[in-house]
Amino acid sequence: MTVDPLPATLLYTSCDENDLPFTTTEELDNLDEESVGQERAVAAVRFGIGIRPEGFNLYCLGSKGTGKSSVIRQCLRKAAAEMPVADDWCYVHNFNDDQRPQALRLPPGRAIAFRQGMNHLVEELQLTIPALFESEIFHARKKNIDECLKKRHEQMFTVFREHAERAGLSLLRTSAGLILAPLKEDDAQDDCSRLLEDEQERNMAHLQTELENFQCQLPHWEKEKRQAIQNLVCELAHYTVDPLINRLKDVYADVPAVTSYLDDVHKNIIANIGDFLVPRDGTARDNSDAFQFSSRSRTTAVAALRRFQVNVLVFREGDHGAPVVFLDHPTKSNLLGRIEYLQQCGTFFTDFSLIKEGALHRANGGYLVLQARNILAQPFAWENLKRALRAREIKIENSECECGFSSSSLSPEPIPLSIKVVLLGEPLIYYLLSHHDPDFRELFKVAADFDDSTERTPETVFAYARLLAALVRRENLRPLHRDAVARLIEHAARLAEDSRKLSTHMASLTDLAREADYWAEQSGAALVSGTHVQQALDAQIGRQNRIHVHVREEILHKTVLVDTAGAVVGQINGLSVFELGPLTFGAPSRITCRVRMGKGEVVDIEREVELGGPLHSKGVLILVSFLAARFAVDMPLSLSATLVFEQSYGGVEGDSASSTELYALLSALADLPIRQDLAVTGSVNQLGQIQAIGSVNEKIEGFFHICQARGLTGGHGVLIPRANVRHLMLRAEVREAAEAGLFHIYPITDVDEGIALLTGWPSGKRDESGTYPVGSINRKVAARLKDFAARSHRLSENMPSSGVYRRS
């Protein structure tokens, strides 16, 4: 059974620059779409953006760098432009409950004008109301009220005094008030002599009662005076306040919520007119008569005018279409807003003017884009976002507990929420949320799945070229020659690990184009060529391959034992791959196997010492199953074998070495040496078929570099699964060596092909009698296992139940 090495043409699928219908990217138009090969995802995005019912929010899942953000930004920009501009939102003082600020919705672009109008209203009242109390009209009418009361008081005093004098008594004014006293003797001597003493006492008591009743009426008269003055103040205030309020109401007649608020403002101003008696410069006016109508101190009155301010939460002036908000740091307060505090006299206080908006307020009526990982990492943010989406309202809660102090609290009126939320994240997060969070599937019903690769067709290649042309223009880079575009396309195929596909990880390609532009600049070139792209690729590897170089040096210095010549029984070169950040590289590893008679156990030493992962252990169990099914159908598998990755000091995961371990096991059983100038990769199933593995290019190149450093002899090569042939995109030095016949890539279909190539012996096929041909590997393995089984049977017969051997 002969396996021919692959021709060099199958080791790399190049992009012929002559097939590109342009010379430089300057000749190309920009690509309308910022993604290539994501038709399914783009269709899902457009559906998720367009559908309006509740719960159809969007989750875009895909690897970072596949263009999720660009697609979302472009689609949202188009959709938002066709939607109406969202409304403005304000918070104002609630005159019925100052702990529950009132939310006002205004047409877009009118909130600032409303705030300015309210500020102008207060400024005008601060000027006109004090002037009102200094006017001649006010003083004249107030003087008339004072004189009326004074006249009434004097009239009553005169009448009572005359009444007292007729009774022989005198009404006197003292510091203690009004008192009654008998008339002097010289004034009424004849009369007093005629009055009886008891009658005078009765008159005195009666008049004293009337005097007390008269004095009790004085506070009521003063109250009537104050009420009259208050009515005067209100009457005159209406002349000043009503035109100003009506002017604002006329401007906002189309906004009922604002006109209702202005009615409340009007009532509050009239009821607290004294608050405007402190001028804008803060100095007190010499107007004590007017200021008596304010129940506040002058300092408090100035502070109280804050209640007429307007806290503009969201302002849309100049916007075109619905808002699109991208939030990178989605904390709870950044999402839902917050209530700030001020310190005054050692305590903290707050009011409606200290309410701050969140991203939900800014995106209300439009779209909010969040990174799933970021919002899940913030305490309370995810739960509060879900609550807002379920309730369809934004409720700002007091952060008193978070601040750790006691203060006045606010409960602002919730704002109705109409929004489409777009989450960007990895597929794992999407699947975890779908499984563990019951609310997630109710709130995010649309998934846009971004693929990691797309088919490599002429249309796709041309679309990639236009995408690169757009990048060049947008970032003012040097134009790309078509050989540079061809090299970028080839690198996209390598990133996709498939010669027939292209990677959709646009970030990697665009970064490579930027680096190539740098090297073109360093060389003074006007165009970016394929040489500059290759130079950028080599520079990327050179910046990151420190550990790769050290691993290679350890093998070349024979600190790590890997043979690349000769043949050894039960020893084979496996291929491992290392992922260190953005760099992935391969390296050979020695795998050995030892066999003896036993109870059918194949011990994976890596698993026994807990260095082998579950997939690696699965591969070992599969090869044991294959061995038993092929060679131990009618007899026990009396085998004990050990498999190990030599000089492995870290974890081993994956099943790509399962065929390699099987080859080592078959070599040990057949006692046939394996060529050490060959390395092997590929997994095996229970039927002995070799299955595809990942990172095939890196594994081949890892072994090639060791062989190249030691000197290529023409016998070196790598056995790979035949299914991996389409994935080959090997570097130029490997292709050149293969074309020169110095290095070979062998596509293997099943175990028989691989073991025959490794040992140089035919594997052999079972005939109708169930035996393998003489001189075949399978015959040797079957004979060895049959011998183990026979010896095991004889030993078991000679072993009594007591465990002591019988003597013959």
Side-chain angles (χ1 to χ4, degrees), residues 88-90 106-121 247-249 251-252 258 261-262 308-317:
D88 293 350
W89 283 96
C90 307
L106 287 92
R110 299 179 67 180
I112 294 296
F114 178 56
R115 181 176 66 185
Q116 293 172 347
M118 287 299 298
N119 291 340
H120 183 66
L121 171 67
R247 187 195 311 167
L248 275 178
K249 291 176 69 175
V251 174
Y252 297 97
V258 174
Y261 167 73
L262 290 174
F308 301 113
Q309 293 179 359
V310 175
N311 180 7
V312 177
L313 213 62
V314 181
F315 180 57
R316 308 288 187 186
E317 185 179 30

Side-chain angles (χ1 to χ4, degrees), residues 303 306 339-354 398 405-410:
R306 288 169 56 95
I339 302 174
E340 294 184 346
Y341 292 83
L342 293 179
Q343 186 175 11
Q344 187 177 59
C345 300
T347 61
F348 290 91
F349 79 96
T350 187
D351 63 13
F352 73 95
S353 65
L354 296 176
N398 195 299
F405 52 78
S406 177
S407 62
S408 59
S409 61
L410 293 180

Side-chain angles (χ1 to χ4, degrees), residues 295-312:
S295 61
R296 308 176 191 269
S297 67
R298 296 183 186 274
T299 302
T300 306
V302 174
L305 296 181
R306 288 169 56 95
R307 69 185 183 274
F308 301 113
Q309 293 179 359
V310 175
N311 180 7
V312 177

Side-chain angles (χ1 to χ4, degrees), residues 181-208:
L183 290 173
K184 295 181 180 180
E185 291 184 359
D186 55 352
D187 293 334
Q189 181 175 1
D190 295 338
D191 294 334
C192 289
S193 60
R194 290 190 299 267
L195 291 175
L196 297 175
E197 183 176 351
D198 54 349
E199 183 178 356
Q200 188 176 24
E201 290 180 356
R202 286 194 300 271
N203 291 338
M204 175 74 74
H206 177 71
L207 290 175
Q208 184 64 38

Side-chain angles (χ1 to χ4, degrees), residues 34-217:
E34 294 199 10
S35 66
V36 179
Q38 303 287 6
E39 290 78 11
R40 180 195 302 107
V42 171
V45 168
R46 290 173 177 166
F47 170 76
I49 291 174
I51 190 170
R52 304 314 304 173
E54 182 179 350
F56 284 86
N57 297 293
L58 180 63
Y59 188 106
C60 296
L61 59 151
S63 302
K64 192 174 182 62
T66 52
K68 300 189 301 295
S69 296
S70 299
V71 170
I72 286 297
R73 194 180 301 273
Q74 185 181 51
C75 292
L76 289 182
R77 185 170 61 247
K78 291 181 179 179
E82 299 174 358
M83 296 175 61
V85 180
D87 293 326
D88 293 350
W89 283 96
C90 307
Y91 269 113
V92 294
H93 180 74
N94 187 338
F95 296 100
N96 298 317
D97 184 357
D98 58 3
Q99 299 302 309
R100 187 176 172 81
Q102 179 182 353
L104 289 182
R105 182 204 298 260
L106 287 92
R110 299 179 67 180
I112 294 296
F114 178 56
R115 181 176 66 185
Q116 293 172 347
M118 287 299 298
N119 291 340
H120 183 66
L121 171 67
V122 173
E123 291 172 357
E124 285 201 63
L125 292 177
Q126 286 181 296
L127 293 174
T128 57
I129 290 178
L132 174 68
F133 288 116
E134 295 175 351
S135 66
E136 293 181 0
I137 296 177
F138 172 75
H139 285 292
R141 295 185 62 178
K142 180 177 179 297
K143 183 178 180 181
N144 184 45
I145 294 172
D146 292 339
E147 289 178 352
C148 287
L149 178 65
K150 183 178 180 182
K151 182 177 180 180
R152 184 179 183 184
H153 184 276
E154 291 297 333
Q155 289 176 347
M156 289 294 296
F157 180 80
T158 301
V159 171
F160 189 81
R161 184 181 58 186
E162 292 175 352
H163 189 190
E165 288 176 351
R166 286 196 299 270
L169 299 173
S170 175
L171 182 63
L172 303 177
R173 296 179 184 268
T174 68
S175 58
L178 297 175
I179 62 173
L180 290 170
L183 290 173
K184 295 181 180 180
E185 291 184 359
D186 55 352
D187 293 334
Q189 181 175 1
D190 295 338
D191 294 334
C192 289
S193 60
R194 290 190 299 267
L195 291 175
L196 297 175
E197 183 176 351
D198 54 349
E199 183 178 356
Q200 188 176 24
E201 290 180 356
R202 286 194 300 271
N203 291 338
M204 175 74 74
H206 177 71
L207 290 175
Q208 184 64 38
T209 301
E210 291 185 1
L211 178 61
E212 291 176 356
N213 293 335
F214 169 68
Q215 289 179 328
C216 287
Q217 293 182 19

